[in-house]
Amino acid sequence: MNRPAIHALLAASLLLAPQVHAITSPVKPTAPKSEASALPALQVDLRQTTVSGLSSGGYMAAQFAVAYSATVSGAGIIAGGPYYCASQPGRFPYIAYLNNALTTCMNPGDAQVSPPDAAGLLRAAQDFARDRLIDDTGNLQRQRIYLFSGTRDQTVTRPVVEQVARFYQLAGTPAVNIRFADTVTAGHAIITDSLQDSACASTQPPFINNCGFIQARDILQHLYQDLQPSSTTLKGKLIAFNQRGFIKSSYSSMGNTGYAYIPAACNSESCRVHVVFHGCLQTTQAIGDQFYTRTGYNQVADANKIVVLYPQVEPSPIYPYNPKGCWDFWGYTSINPLEPDFYRQSGTQMEAVKNMLDRLAARRGSR
């Protein structure tokens, strides 16, 4: 099949996916791209790196945590599924990864297909580790995992999220390390306790819902356990930084500008890093600065010496075809979508984020 034909099938499949209308009057980001500076070297402790994300960001958190399990000590997955989910079932003549991403990995009940098979996905991960495409899966036994599925979420449903728990159980992760929150009447969203956010049960932009608690706090409390109370007044600095130098491929669909919250203490003391992956339709083009300023991570981080990294994808209307600004969990960043590499350490988005972490871990003040 030639490349134009593949692209046409990709476009057609994505256009057939359930549509959610974007916000009509996006809020402008607080820091325009022209003001982006270099990501600083802060000599952070990468052994305490954790990740989290919503929807496609949840998938990105899951695959980053597995691929770089020697670095990542925990993951928070909101409405996301297991590592390498889009590889199943993979029957010809479909473009298997995209087809599965839209069915098996989202709402398999509506699509009348089976949920992802955690056992098969773990076997695949073990094979990749033996081939040195990802880190040793034995590292998964030490990770702490927070999972969330809202009872009103029909975008990524509970049977999909369940398979993340199953994946880790089969990998030997202790039950005490896995927390599965599945009783909140939430739609497809990250959760806050702010009255300015959407109703808890809704599924609508900006996918930030008021359900009476701060989910960022819940996630970080499970992943780190030793947290101090969140700051009421931020003393650190939110920066816009140049992402471009960390990205090696022109097909990444990543933006020029990323964001990071740096507590004041991290300029002179040892800190850890939490990476937060936004969901589809949560880019700065769609919702401005809401994701990286209003979801509660910065307040927790400020009081607990945690640098929060917010890498950014941007919508790409032509090629790579990513009109909703999703993180890649089916292969749109690969030249050949029939043989994608999104799940490997060498995947363009995965490698770019790891490069950002390595920069934060570099000797303080180095260039």
Side-chain angles (χ1 to χ4, degrees):
M1 183 180 294
N2 60 31
R3 187 177 294 180
I6 291 173
H7 294 179
L9 280 173
L10 280 167
S13 298
L14 277 171
L15 288 171
L16 288 173
Q19 297 295 308
V20 181
H21 298 292
I23 194 167
T24 56
S25 300
V27 181
K28 293 181 179 180
T30 54
K33 292 180 181 179
S34 61
E35 296 180 12
S37 57
L39 187 65
L42 297 172
Q43 214 165 321
V44 299
D45 180 5
L46 286 189
R47 296 170 300 177
Q48 298 188 69
T49 300
T50 57
V51 296
S52 67
L54 164 68
S55 194
S56 74
Y59 272 103
M60 187 64 178
Q63 68 190 29
F64 194 88
V66 174
Y68 286 104
S69 60
T71 299
V72 177
S73 64
I77 300 165
I78 308 166
Y83 172 81
Y84 200 46
C85 179
S87 66
Q88 299 177 337
R91 298 191 184 97
F92 184 82
Y94 300 108
I95 298 180
Y97 294 91
L98 177 58
N99 181 67
N100 299 334
L102 297 173
T103 56
T104 302
C105 302
M106 294 184 70
N107 191 329
D110 273 6
Q112 298 183 329
V113 298
S114 298
D117 171 23
L121 296 173
L122 179 60
R123 287 193 296 270
Q126 292 166 338
D127 288 343
F128 298 149
R130 279 191 289 270
D131 292 339
R132 299 186 178 181
L133 301 175
I134 65 174
D135 286 338
D136 186 348
T137 54
N139 296 321
L140 303 178
Q141 296 179 22
R142 68 179 178 84
Q143 289 184 343
R144 298 186 64 82
I145 304 299
Y146 171 100
L147 306 173
F148 183 85
S149 179
T151 63
R152 300 292 182 87
D153 189 344
Q154 294 301 305
T155 304
V156 178
T157 55
R158 190 184 193 283
V160 176
V161 186
E162 283 177 338
Q163 292 306 305
V164 186
R166 180 64 176 156
F167 180 94
Y168 274 94
Q169 290 163 358
L170 293 171
T173 308
V176 69
N177 285 15
I178 304 171
R179 181 185 173 196
F180 192 171
D182 62 348
T183 61
V184 181
T185 56
H188 190 68
I190 187 170
I191 307 307
T192 72
D193 66 349
S194 174
L195 294 177
Q196 66 182 313
D197 292 326
S198 302
C200 186
S202 67
T203 295
Q204 63 183 31
F207 307 101
I208 303 172
N209 288 8
N210 172 25
C211 297
F213 69 98
I214 300 173
Q215 191 164 50
R217 175 82 197 186
D218 273 16
I219 292 171
L220 293 172
Q221 185 72 65
H222 181 70
L223 301 188
Y224 289 120
Q225 298 186 285
D226 60 348
L227 297 187
Q228 298 300 312
S230 302
S231 295
T232 55
T233 302
L234 295 179
K235 302 178 182 65
K237 186 177 181 181
L238 180 67
I239 67 166
F241 69 90
N242 184 356
Q243 284 192 151
R244 188 52 47 193
F246 301 104
I247 304 166
K248 294 185 178 180
S249 170
S250 58
Y251 299 113
S252 71
S253 193
M254 293 182 71
N256 290 325
T257 306
Y259 301 88
Y261 183 77
I262 302 174
C266 298
N267 291 312
S268 58
E269 301 178 46
S270 178
C271 287
R272 44 208 176 179
V273 184
H274 183 73
V275 184
V276 187
F277 298 104
H278 61 75
C280 303
L281 295 172
Q282 286 189 319
T283 63
T284 57
Q285 291 90 341
I287 65 169
D289 65 0
Q290 293 182 75
F291 189 79
Y292 59 86
T293 63
R294 284 182 34 200
T295 48
Y297 286 99
N298 300 340
Q299 286 76 8
V300 183
D302 191 74
N304 289 281
K305 295 194 289 189
I306 302 171
V307 174
V308 187
L309 182 67
Y310 297 97
Q312 297 290 306
V313 167
E314 65 182 8
S316 177
I318 302 175
Y319 190 76
Y321 189 68
N322 181 30
K324 297 182 181 180
C326 303
W327 287 95
D328 186 8
F329 69 98
W330 67 89
Y332 72 75
T333 56
S334 301
I335 298 297
N336 183 357
L338 300 177
E339 296 181 1
D341 63 357
F342 65 92
Y343 55 89
R344 304 178 182 182
Q345 289 185 348
S346 61
T348 182
Q349 293 180 353
M350 300 263 272
E351 186 177 44
V353 175
K354 181 57 164 59
N355 289 340
M356 295 175 198
L357 288 173
D358 290 341
R359 170 60 181 167
L360 288 169
R363 182 171 55 84
R364 196 181 305 278
S366 62
R367 295 187 177 182

